[in-house]
Amino acid sequence: MQQKRKSRKHFRARLEEMVDKLRQDIVSGTVADGSFLPAESDLEERFELSNASVRKGLHVLVEEGLLEKIPRVGNRVTRPVPARKTVRFGYAGAISRIVRMDELLEVFHERYPHLQVQTVELPSRGYTGIIKEYMEAGLLDAALMNSSNFQDFRELGCTGLLHPLKPTESAYPFLTEPFCEERGALLRPFVYSPVILCYNKDHFRESGVPVPDSSWTWQELFEQGRRLAVPNERFGFYFYLPSRNRWPIFILQSGAAVRRDEAGCSRLDDPKLLEGLAACRDLVAMSDVFPRILSESDADAEALFLKGKVSMIMTTYFFLNQLRESGISFDVSPLPSLNDASTLLIVNGLVINERSPQREEAALLVDFLTSYEAQRHLRRRTLNIAAHRQAMEWEGEEEVYRPARFFMYREIFPTFRLMTELGFSNGQLKAIQREVMLYLSGLQDQEAFIQAAHMQLNLASAAEAQEDAFSSLEQEKSQSGRSLPPAAED
């Protein structure tokens, strides 16, 4: 009787050993999905089991969904696909088309079949506020935002919504350092562009005008713009005046540091700074060069260029992607200079929602989109400047028409400036926008402009101080883990 019990014990151990070993081989991928296990007779010999015992063990694996028994054929491996998790990824629709996001996500899904990216297309107007609301409500796991959106987050005191990302050495330091805080990098650069000139080569050839280069000043652009303009047919130069990525360039190139008064408010009365705005005002007044039309967005300036109605526009590399199939012979050049040759840098990067339960999965998406593979895809298939240095250095057969001077951006790295280097906060720029437009359009003289702008700056500074105080209270509440008394909260 004792010998019989011992045999049963050994039998169960051998059976469990067979089931565990086969299960491990299937789950680990040692036995490929879709392949067949060895014949049952081979398993009998290997594990010293009877045919009935082998079939019993295989039935356990069938019940677990690891095997499919096919009569008269054998036992086929059917390793189950892990339950798919969804990463909600938000971005503006325009950037999606510019970077061919659908193609990149298709490759990502092939790489990570257990993940599904749910794209959330967000409107461009009010983009910062929408991302903030969506993150707070748990509706986004990851998102694309540009350097200006990130600065808005800083000024609103809500960078705590952003999850720290692993450091990367694939991008230039000037693309990564502005987005670092004590907790680490909060934004991973994806694509970027300086503000540049784009010009119609045929117009220059027809007019006998030399193409722009890094020696051009704004005065030369004004003069050559007159030669390029054709009455009732086309204008010489145009850009969307109200864009906060356009008119501030004239302040940036003035070379003046924005002064603050004793109360800490920014001042606009520096003569050199006003000289920069005056240059922009002079340009707008040249009706034979610069069209006086009402525009709703940068897209209007770019639409005029696409129709051949303007010879030069102030734009970015992002727009060049709309020219890929236009048939227009175009090229690019650095912006003309005033007192210096500075230009604004726009960085589009990826962020992860700190409150997301899918942070690890969102990190896989961010890592993929900024990987050499994905960034080289951008290099080959688009006219964007990918943030990955080695990807942009790839050399091979071009898949898109690339203008001859495309890579001139490498030569003007020292001129790149972020909006924060103007000396104004985003809130202050928004506050004085209306006054600047009135002045540049000739509807307000300089003295009235300075007075009105300073009033708006004072109001903006007071609002920011109040916001900072509120953010400090909220941070104190968060760190202390207790609520403040009602009087303090008010």
Side-chain angles (χ1 to χ4, degrees):
M1 179 68 70
Q2 186 177 2
Q3 181 65 35
K4 188 174 182 180
R5 288 196 190 98
K6 184 177 181 181
S7 297
R8 286 177 179 174
K9 181 179 179 181
H10 288 172
F11 153 73
R12 286 197 299 272
R14 292 196 303 274
L15 180 58
E16 289 175 2
E17 178 190 357
M18 184 196 80
V19 172
D20 288 345
K21 176 60 176 171
L22 293 178
R23 181 189 292 117
Q24 181 181 356
D25 287 348
I26 293 171
V27 172
S28 67
T30 302
V31 181
D33 188 22
S35 63
F36 286 85
L37 291 182
E40 292 179 3
S41 58
D42 293 335
L43 294 175
E44 292 171 23
E45 182 177 348
R46 176 181 174 185
F47 294 101
E48 300 179 8
L49 292 168
S50 67
N51 179 262
S53 298
V54 167
R55 290 190 174 187
K56 183 176 181 180
L58 294 176
H59 180 72
V60 172
L61 298 176
V62 170
E63 289 293 309
E64 292 179 2
L66 298 174
L67 288 178
E68 178 185 11
K69 189 171 184 61
I70 301 178
R72 296 185 297 279
V73 177
N75 297 283
R76 185 169 62 188
V77 174
T78 56
R79 186 169 65 255
V81 176
R84 300 185 88 184
K85 290 188 176 181
T86 299
V87 176
R88 292 160 299 183
F89 181 37
Y91 51 72
I95 191 70
S96 170
R97 293 184 288 274
I98 286 170
V99 301
R100 296 179 177 261
M101 186 63 76
D102 55 341
E103 296 177 10
L104 294 173
L105 294 182
E106 184 178 345
V107 177
F108 177 79
H109 288 142
E110 291 175 359
R111 178 77 56 83
Y112 300 100
H114 65 291
L115 295 179
Q116 176 64 41
V117 178
Q118 177 187 337
T119 57
V120 182
E121 190 167 319
L122 305 172
S124 299
R125 189 177 294 275
Y127 189 74
T128 300
I130 293 170
I131 288 185
K132 179 177 178 290
E133 290 176 6
Y134 274 48
M135 284 189 168
E136 290 174 335
L139 300 177
L140 286 180
D141 303 303
L144 267 173
M145 66 164 57
N146 64 30
S147 38
S148 181
N149 303 140
F150 184 85
Q151 182 61 24
D152 282 336
F153 262 55
R154 271 194 172 141
E155 293 176 17
L156 291 170
C158 59
T159 53
L161 281 172
L162 306 180
H163 181 66
L165 299 163
K166 292 186 299 183
T168 178
E169 296 182 356
S170 62
Y172 290 103
F174 68 78
L175 295 176
T176 57
E177 291 173 355
F179 309 107
C180 293
E181 295 188 350
E182 290 183 5
R183 295 188 297 133
L186 303 182
L187 178 146
R188 179 84 61 79
F190 179 54
V191 292
Y192 67 99
S193 175
V195 178
I196 56 170
L197 281 185
C198 179
Y199 60 93
N200 187 312
K201 292 167 66 177
D202 291 337
H203 291 183
F204 275 77
R205 185 172 57 254
E206 293 165 6
S207 304
V209 175
V211 297
D213 55 45
S214 58
S215 72
W216 268 31
T217 62
W218 286 104
Q219 186 58 43
E220 183 161 8
L221 179 140
F222 300 162
E223 294 170 1
Q224 303 298 359
R226 282 198 172 97
R227 295 176 60 189
L228 288 160
V230 178
N232 302 316
E233 183 176 329
R234 70 175 186 240
F235 292 94
F237 175 64
Y238 188 53
F239 66 94
Y240 177 54
L241 186 63
S243 171
R244 283 192 293 275
N245 286 326
R246 302 293 186 267
W247 67 262
I249 287 173
F250 292 90
I251 293 180
L252 196 65
Q253 288 194 354
S254 71
V258 174
R259 185 174 62 85
R260 294 182 181 273
D261 60 22
E262 295 178 356
C265 295
S266 300
R267 305 290 297 179
L268 277 168
D269 49 8
D270 186 290
K272 291 181 68 176
L273 189 150
L274 291 170
E275 177 186 337
L277 286 176
C280 184
R281 181 179 166 117
D282 291 344
L283 170 63
V284 174
M286 296 179 181
S287 58
D288 55 337
V289 176
F290 194 92
R292 289 195 170 189
I293 60 176
L294 295 176
S295 299
E296 295 183 359
S297 70
D298 283 335
D300 293 326
E302 293 160 353
L304 285 174
F305 188 85
L306 284 166
K307 293 178 180 178
K309 297 298 183 182
V310 63
S311 299
M312 297 179 286
I313 58 172
M314 194 192 307
T315 187
T316 64
Y317 277 81
F318 306 132
F319 165 66
L320 303 186
N321 291 279
Q322 297 183 43
L323 296 173
R324 286 182 303 209
E325 299 175 0
S326 66
I328 294 175
S329 179
F330 68 94
D331 215 324
V332 295
S333 172
L335 287 184
S337 62
L338 192 60
N339 293 329
D340 68 38
S342 298
T343 186
L344 283 173
L345 171 65
I346 302 167
V347 181
N348 277 290
L350 296 146
V351 296
I352 294 176
N353 186 357
E354 176 67 22
R355 301 182 183 182
S356 166
Q358 313 291 356
R359 289 196 302 270
E360 291 186 8
E361 291 76 15
L364 288 176
L365 175 62
V366 170
D367 288 345
F368 170 76
L369 290 175
T370 55
S371 68
Y372 177 80
E373 177 187 3
Q375 295 272 293
R376 190 182 70 167
H377 185 87
L378 285 169
R379 160 69 179 85
R380 296 175 60 188
R381 302 276 291 157
T382 76
L383 293 178
N384 294 292
I385 309 174
H388 198 295
R389 295 171 64 173
Q390 284 71 38
M392 286 306 296
E393 292 167 4
W394 173 86
E395 294 182 355
E397 185 177 352
E398 297 286 2
E399 297 187 29
V400 295
Y401 166 74
R402 200 173 299 277
R405 301 169 70 184
F406 179 87
F407 292 100
M408 66 92 189
Y409 72 89
R410 294 174 176 168
E411 310 306 319
I412 60 172
F413 280 161
T415 69
F416 291 0
R417 302 287 184 271
L418 287 171
M419 188 72 73
T420 51
E421 296 182 58
L422 281 170
F424 296 107
S425 67
N426 281 359
Q428 290 174 327
L429 282 174
K430 293 172 187 175
I432 63 172
Q433 173 89 5
R434 179 175 177 274
E435 307 307 330
V436 171
M437 291 303 103
L438 289 173
Y439 173 65
L440 295 181
S441 300
L443 299 176
Q444 189 168 242
D445 62 29
Q446 188 175 97
E447 184 178 349
F449 160 65
I450 292 173
Q451 183 177 353
H454 284 169
M455 183 179 70
Q456 294 300 325
L457 286 170
N458 289 336
L459 291 173
S461 296
E464 287 173 0
Q466 186 175 6
E467 181 67 34
D468 288 343
F470 178 78
S471 296
S472 297
L473 286 172
E474 289 296 302
Q475 186 175 8
E476 185 178 332
K477 286 168 59 180
S478 175
Q479 292 175 348
S480 66
R482 58 183 176 80
S483 298
L484 293 171
E489 289 182 331
D490 292 339

